[in-house]
Amino acid sequence: MTDYYGKDISLDEILLHVRPGWHPLITTLVEDLGKLGWDGQVCQVKEKFGGLRFYIGAKSDEIQLRITEAEKQSYKICEICGEPGILVKLGWLMTRCPEHSKT
Ligand SMILES: [Zn+2]
């Protein structure tokens, strides 16, 4: 994979942008995008308003659909631990399981 500037980056570097609960979600997404003919360019990966954002360069409709699916799934997965979660507002919006919703 490559970053916005065309520099090689690893999956581990991409995963660093979100917390561990979402790492399996992104790993599966990257595998699926590879099968759909994705060129591997990642522009930005982050959490925003409680959900995953996965921005890439040129993409087909099929690839965009798969990314949108993963972004929607992220709202149901605790970003900390990967257990089922919901969108909660703890100062700001985040997706958390009951355990990690405690302040
Ligand atoms: Zn959790």
Side-chain angles (χ1 to χ4, degrees):
M1 288 176 283
T2 57
D3 70 7
Y4 181 75
Y5 302 101
K7 180 178 158 285
D8 285 342
I9 48 168
S10 66
L11 177 61
D12 285 345
E13 288 173 272
I14 292 169
L15 295 178
L16 284 177
H17 296 282
V18 299
R19 302 181 79 167
W22 288 355
H23 288 184
L25 178 70
I26 293 177
T27 302
T28 307
L29 173 63
V30 164
E31 283 172 8
D32 286 353
L33 293 182
K35 291 174 200 159
L36 293 172
W38 174 44
D39 64 4
Q41 189 185 31
V42 183
C43 294
Q44 194 179 26
V45 177
K46 63 179 180 180
E47 176 276 335
K48 188 179 181 186
F49 302 132
L52 172 69
R53 298 293 187 278
F54 195 92
Y55 300 118
I56 66 173
K59 53 189 177 276
S60 64
D61 291 348
E62 210 178 8
I63 286 175
Q64 182 55 57
L65 274 174
R66 182 62 187 86
I67 292 172
T68 302
E69 185 192 348
E71 290 176 343
K72 281 183 188 163
Q73 285 174 338
S74 72
Y75 287 102
K76 296 173 183 168
I77 301 169
C78 175
E79 192 188 353
I80 306 286
C81 69
E83 290 294 312
I86 55 164
L87 190 63
V88 293
K89 193 162 190 260
L90 303 170
W92 57 89
L93 289 169
M94 49 187 81
T95 301
R96 295 288 183 269
C97 66
E99 181 63 28
H100 290 120
S101 296
K102 293 174 187 163
T103 48

